[in-house]
């Protein structure tokens, strides 16, 4: 970069700047040989994951990263993976502390899932979920479960243990046929179709951590 600056290839607001210590501000237009150069920025995406894609970067299977055509896609990490067969809302960012805040149980950010299921969701089971399920040595924190229509329930958890929704369904003796995450904090899918993403606005990022 230093060499390029000294050689006169860089302009600020159309004027060649050869001093590498020159300070620019947000509204300055910086160009390198005529191409606009933008400062590195933090990126926050919401993505509607289709079933059949893994949430990891891999060449071996279809990956969500194959669907995210974004200049920063190499840097993006998911805030809470979804299993290959699970669909719905994923948040991705290159801001590590933001991701940590979503996934850390300490911050109690809600994650809501719709689950299509077979079996009976009794009031006893609803009560057990609200008190915190125990499955062998594993204990899940109190969560919210409600029946939406026959065979469809909403489950809201504030932690993100490995296969948590599937394990909770098993503990309740309910067979899931489809799982979809529809909300993280205040962020919902809106009208995103499967495989589509959009950037979160500053306002949405601020509101994410407020309770819905
Ligand atoms: N719980 C699961 O079991 N799977 C997911 O992908 C997400 C939550």
């Amino acid at each position: 970069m230093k060499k390029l600056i000294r050689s006169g290839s860089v302009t600020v607001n159309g004027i060649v700047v050869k001093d590498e210590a020159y300070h620019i501000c947000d509204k300055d237009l910086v160009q390198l040989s005529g191409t606009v150069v933008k400062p590195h920025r933090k990126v926050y995406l919401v993505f509607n994951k289709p079933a059949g894609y893994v949430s990891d970067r891999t060449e071996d299977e279809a990956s969500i990263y194959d669907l995210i055509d974004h200049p920063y896609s190499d840097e993006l990490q998911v805030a809470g993976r979804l299993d290959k067969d699970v669909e719905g809302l994923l948040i991705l960012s290159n801001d590590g502390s933001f991701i940590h805040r979503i996934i850390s149980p300490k911050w109690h950010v809600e994650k809501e899932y719709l689950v299509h299921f077979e079996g009976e969701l009794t009031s006893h089971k609803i009560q057990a979920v609200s008190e915190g399920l125990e499955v062998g040595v594993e204990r899940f924190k109190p969560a919210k479960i409600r029946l939406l229509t026959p065979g469809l329930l909403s489950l809201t958890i504030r932690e993100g243990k490995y296969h948590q929704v599937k394990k909770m369904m098993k503990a309740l003796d309910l067979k899931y046929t489809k799982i979809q995450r529809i909300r993280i904090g205040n962020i919902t899918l809106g009208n995103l179709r499967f495989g589509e993403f959009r950037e979160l606005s500053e306002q949405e990022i601020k509101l994410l951590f407020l309770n819905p």
Side-chain angles (χ1 to χ4, degrees):
M1 259 339 282
K2 280 183 187 171
K3 266 196 203 150
L4 286 169
I5 292 169
R6 285 185 204 139
S7 75
S9 308
V10 174
T11 59
V12 178
N13 303 325
I15 296 161
V16 172
V17 172
K18 291 190 173 181
D19 174 8
E20 72 224 29
Y22 184 88
H23 278 267
I24 52 164
C25 60
D26 281 352
K27 56 184 189 327
D28 282 335
L29 177 73
V30 181
Q31 287 169 286
L32 171 63
S33 308
T35 305
V36 176
V37 179
K38 296 224 170 100
H40 186 268
R41 64 185 176 102
K42 301 253 172 73
V43 172
Y44 306 86
L45 302 184
V46 53
F47 172 68
N48 190 355
K49 175 190 174 301
Y53 289 79
V54 294
S55 303
D56 303 294
R57 251 175 250 282
T58 172
E59 309 256 291
D60 306 336
E61 295 180 86
S63 156
I64 55 158
Y65 292 99
D66 301 337
L67 303 174
I68 300 174
D69 184 13
H70 186 279
Y72 282 66
S73 67
D74 284 354
E75 295 180 16
L76 299 176
Q77 302 295 327
V78 295
R81 287 188 177 80
L82 290 177
D83 295 334
K84 188 172 177 180
D85 59 337
V86 174
E87 56 191 42
L89 191 152
L90 270 178
I91 291 178
L92 296 104
S93 178
N94 57 356
D95 179 347
S97 50
F98 170 82
I99 290 185
H100 178 72
R101 190 154 172 193
I102 291 178
I103 59 182
S104 164
K106 199 175 99 183
W107 292 95
H108 308 292
V109 177
E110 289 193 341
K111 288 103 189 168
E112 183 175 357
Y113 294 84
L114 291 184
V115 184
H116 294 257
F117 71 100
E118 290 164 7
E120 207 191 334
L121 181 63
T122 58
S123 52
H124 176 73
K125 290 178 185 177
I126 293 174
Q127 177 74 16
V129 170
S130 72
E131 285 168 6
L133 281 181
E134 261 175 60
V135 186
V137 288
E138 201 158 29
R139 186 172 156 71
F140 298 111
K141 295 214 168 85
K144 282 186 260 178
I145 193 164
R146 66 201 162 94
L147 189 66
L148 299 177
T149 55
L152 179 65
L153 62 80
S154 149
L155 175 63
T156 303
I157 58 179
R158 288 164 176 259
E159 46 186 352
K161 291 190 171 155
Y162 184 64
H163 285 168
Q164 179 158 350
V165 174
K166 292 177 181 173
K167 286 180 188 162
M168 289 176 76
M169 292 298 287
K170 188 157 188 262
L172 294 170
D173 196 24
L174 301 174
K175 181 171 178 267
Y176 66 85
T177 52
K178 186 165 110 174
I179 301 175
Q180 182 189 26
R181 183 157 65 198
I182 56 162
R183 181 171 64 81
I184 294 183
N186 281 293
I187 304 297
T188 55
L189 284 166
N191 48 16
L192 279 182
R193 284 179 298 202
F194 286 126
E196 287 183 346
F197 66 85
R198 66 180 172 84
E199 289 206 21
L200 292 175
S201 66
E202 270 179 40
Q203 182 69 355
E204 284 179 298
I205 295 162
K206 270 197 219 132
L207 289 176
L208 200 155
F209 300 111
L210 295 182
N211 280 329

